Amino acid sequence: MDAKKRCLISRDEIARRVAELAERIGRDYAGGDLVMVGVLKGVFIFMADLVRALPFPVEVDFVRLCSYGAGTATSGEVHITKDVELPLKDRDVMIVEDIVDTGLTLDFLRQHLLSHRPRSLKICCLIDKQERREVEVPLDYLGFVVEKGFLVGYGLDCGEQSRTLPEIFVLEKD
Ligand code: 5GP
């Protein structure tokens, strides 16, 4: 795909928002015992920044999910290719995700983690992309809302390219 990139969210905006999210989470879980479960791979940069901005240490774990579908659309059929390894029963758990689009991935993961019987389960998501939502998921901590577009950078890729860009870009076709 030959697409131009337009900067949508700058480094400063990301840094400010991540600090605000960390402050809120810090207040809400003060003295708590939190396990953050990141959704690979796209979340790796956001989660690294978020956990280091928190006022207390947390345990971290990761899942890798894949949804079979063509191109940039998810099919609704979500599979786990790497599951959580830490015990979650009776723990306060927070899913950390890069972007929610249809909502199918987060809805699946939420149900899956609820089956571990955590004490609480919340979701922290960097970007809420609203146009194609099919399933409503509760986004307890949210970074940015965008209407539509395919985003790359700050962990988000397009065919494994552009993940390491420090800003968030929207791809624009020529
Ligand atoms: P959903 O199941 O909500 O439709 O899709 C969520 C997953 O699709 C995200 O975890 C992400 O991997 C991928 N995704 C959705 N929108 C975008 C986007 O704009 N850019 C990138 N790079 N990935 C996206």
Side-chain angles (χ1 to χ4, degrees):
M1 177 174 41
D2 195 16
K4 283 199 184 112
K5 293 194 275 293
R6 178 169 56 83
C7 185
L8 196 65
I9 309 173
S10 71
R11 288 164 102 129
D12 284 355
E13 284 174 280
I14 295 170
R16 261 199 306 276
R17 199 70 188 117
V18 170
E20 284 167 7
L21 288 172
E23 200 195 320
R24 267 190 59 208
I25 294 168
R27 251 186 282 126
D28 293 351
Y29 289 83
D33 166 35
L34 182 61
V35 185
M36 287 190 153
V37 177
V39 186
L40 292 172
K41 297 183 198 176
V43 84
F44 81 112
I45 292 180
F46 171 46
M47 187 145 154
D49 284 347
L50 183 67
V51 295
R52 289 177 299 166
L54 289 172
F56 44 70
V58 292
E59 291 180 33
V60 298
D61 205 344
F62 294 93
V63 292
R64 181 119 204 246
L65 304 170
C66 86
S67 48
Y68 296 117
T72 55
T74 49
S75 64
E77 221 189 298
V78 184
H79 298 257
I80 300 172
T81 58
K82 186 229 165 288
D83 207 345
V84 277
E85 293 165 34
L86 294 174
L88 302 181
K89 189 166 185 318
D90 298 329
R91 310 281 310 270
D92 290 317
V93 177
M94 186 177 295
I95 297 171
V96 186
E97 170 67 304
D98 49 8
I99 185 163
V100 55
D101 185 9
T102 61
L104 293 165
T105 304
L106 264 183
D107 185 56
F108 170 88
L109 180 61
R110 191 167 163 274
Q111 300 306 329
H112 174 64
L113 295 187
L114 281 173
S115 74
H116 287 251
R117 307 235 164 268
R119 180 166 49 214
S120 67
L121 181 63
K122 301 266 172 160
I123 298 175
C124 176
C125 187
L126 182 65
I127 300 162
D128 177 359
K129 195 168 74 174
Q130 300 191 316
E131 191 192 31
R132 300 199 303 178
R133 188 64 35 83
E134 289 178 32
V135 189
E136 283 313 320
V137 276
L139 304 177
D140 305 285
Y141 301 91
L142 174 63
F144 301 97
V145 176
V146 303
E147 182 53 25
K148 58 184 176 184
F150 194 78
L151 310 189
V152 297
Y154 198 64
L156 293 164
D157 76 311
C158 180
E160 292 304 327
Q161 303 301 302
S162 307
R163 273 196 208 284
T164 54
L165 296 170
E167 302 91 5
I168 295 169
F169 294 83
V170 61
L171 293 187
E172 292 180 330
K173 292 198 188 84
D174 282 334

